[in-house]
Amino acid sequence: MAQFEANRAIAGWYAKRAAERDYPGLFLVMSDPVELLCREVLLASRQGDRGLLPGQIQGCGLGVMHGRARFFAQREDAFRDYLAEGRVFGSHGRELVAANSIRAGQYDDGCSRRLTEWVIRANLQVRGYGFKPYIAPACSSGALTILRILEGKWNYSSNYLGGVYFGGKNRTTERGIEWEALPLPELLFDRLKCAYQNLEKIL
């Protein structure tokens, strides 16, 4: 939240300039906390009948969490399924949801919750070094994600979903954002619903 207060003024300034110029393109947010700043950009851009559309704004922060989940999956047999079938959802922060597999018969709730904690803890450990390393976020959530968005390829980013910016696998099409359609296991869906509701409360 300290980062939010520091970054909201900057994001809001650019949002207002974009609205004043009737900017028609994508507005990509990379600063933390990504999902809250996406919402701030949306609200700050509204000036009378002008403003960015919710679908113009995307948050790039989930890619590095996917990268960290893959890192652990390559080193721990318990998480191995993630490499082929795993997903991350939610936010770049505490409301992250990692799933070892999205297949009903393969999803392991305990294993997935453990992987989620490892990824979140790794994120906090990096911050705890006393400086913000830029290489992993700049590549995973930044350059690689932005290229995939612009190319219309599947990527991990946060998009507007019922009033909340929420992360998941999606791609940009001529008709707008296409979310990956998955028949999710019930336990996983319950976790996603809880994460969504927690983000909703924060907003």
Side-chain angles (χ1 to χ4, degrees):
M1 293 309 295
Q3 285 180 295
F4 177 59
E5 292 304 323
N7 289 331
R8 69 188 303 184
I10 299 170
W13 187 88
Y14 281 104
K16 289 174 183 174
R17 300 294 85 74
E20 288 169 359
R21 290 161 175 76
D22 294 320
Y23 176 65
L26 290 174
F27 192 111
L28 303 180
V29 177
M30 277 193 63
S31 301
D32 287 336
V34 168
E35 290 73 25
L36 296 185
L37 286 172
C38 284
R39 173 79 172 174
E40 182 67 21
V41 166
L42 178 65
L43 297 177
S45 76
R46 293 183 174 165
Q47 302 173 39
D49 59 350
R50 288 183 168 181
L52 296 172
L53 298 173
Q56 284 181 264
I57 305 162
Q58 287 184 247
C60 301
L62 204 55
V64 72
M65 305 306 258
H66 169 61
R68 287 181 178 136
R70 285 185 57 83
F71 171 84
F72 291 123
Q74 289 168 346
R75 285 157 179 75
E76 296 288 331
D77 288 340
F79 304 139
R80 189 73 62 185
D81 285 343
Y82 185 91
L83 296 173
E85 306 169 356
R87 298 289 188 279
V88 287
F89 306 89
S91 76
H92 176 71
R94 287 298 315 173
E95 299 310 323
L96 176 77
V97 174
N100 75 303
S101 173
I102 42 84
R103 286 202 298 150
Q106 291 296 111
Y107 176 72
D108 183 319
D109 194 59
C111 176
S112 295
R113 289 178 183 274
R114 194 161 68 253
L115 177 58
T116 300
E117 284 304 313
W118 283 30
V119 171
I120 291 173
R121 194 180 312 124
N123 195 46
L124 296 176
Q125 285 174 338
V126 167
R127 292 173 187 273
Y129 292 151
F131 66 98
K132 175 69 174 172
Y134 295 101
I135 295 175
C139 290
S140 300
S141 292
L144 297 177
T145 297
I146 290 170
L147 285 173
R148 296 188 73 81
I149 289 172
L150 296 177
E151 293 170 351
K153 293 180 179 178
W154 292 104
N155 67 88
Y156 284 101
S157 57
S158 295
N159 293 278
Y160 192 79
L161 188 63
V164 173
Y165 279 89
F166 195 78
K169 202 168 186 180
N170 66 87
R171 62 182 174 183
T172 304
T173 72
E174 292 179 357
R175 299 178 184 176
I177 298 298
E178 178 187 357
W179 291 87
E180 183 182 37
L182 299 170
L184 297 175
E186 187 175 351
L187 285 174
L188 176 55
F189 182 78
D190 288 343
R191 290 181 65 201
L192 296 182
K193 187 164 64 173
C194 181
Y196 180 92
Q197 291 170 342
N198 287 341
L199 280 172
E200 202 171 30
K201 289 174 186 174
I202 294 171
L203 294 174

